[in-house]
Amino acid sequence: HMHPGKAAERSQLRDAIAAALDQLSENHRTIIILREVEGLSYEEIAEAMECHIGTVMSRLHHARKNLQKALKPFLDETGNPLADTAGAGVRRS
């Protein structure tokens, strides 16, 4: 059973992520969803988006940085330690 405060925090995070995704370009939003939500490989994404793997890697890199930047105000507000690194680097796959 989840603590009510934690449930509210998760709901706020979900809203912040949705708002941050809305700020991304269509290509960046699509690529983040295909990779992070659907779990597609770079090859599968390249096929789905009809582009080269290098393009997938580049778009994913920029999409993650833009998503982190868009989430930074939320992370600052909640005192999340990730706020210090948001937009500074990206996770490598």
Side-chain angles (χ1 to χ4, degrees):
H1 186 67
M2 193 183 300
H3 186 275
K6 282 280 184 208
E9 201 173 288
R10 286 183 81 141
S11 175
Q12 288 173 331
L13 177 60
R14 241 190 323 275
D15 291 347
I17 290 170
L21 281 169
D22 282 346
Q23 292 178 40
L24 298 182
S25 70
E26 184 68 30
N27 277 335
H28 284 178
R29 184 171 41 252
T30 300
I31 207 160
I32 285 283
I33 291 169
L34 291 177
R35 180 69 180 170
E36 305 299 344
V37 179
E38 302 295 331
L40 269 57
S41 69
Y42 288 171
E43 292 83 3
E44 291 167 324
I45 295 168
E47 197 174 300
M49 296 186 79
E50 299 178 346
C51 63
H52 297 285
I53 287 181
T55 304
V56 169
M57 293 167 75
S58 174
R59 283 183 187 164
L60 200 49
H61 171 81
H62 292 290
R64 285 175 175 155
K65 282 190 84 93
N66 291 339
L67 191 59
Q68 287 175 335
K69 264 189 265 182
L71 282 171
K72 190 169 181 355
F74 173 80
L75 296 173
D76 284 341
E77 186 182 300
T78 59
N80 192 304
L82 289 175
D84 296 337
T85 57
V90 295
R91 187 188 65 133
R92 297 276 176 234
S93 300

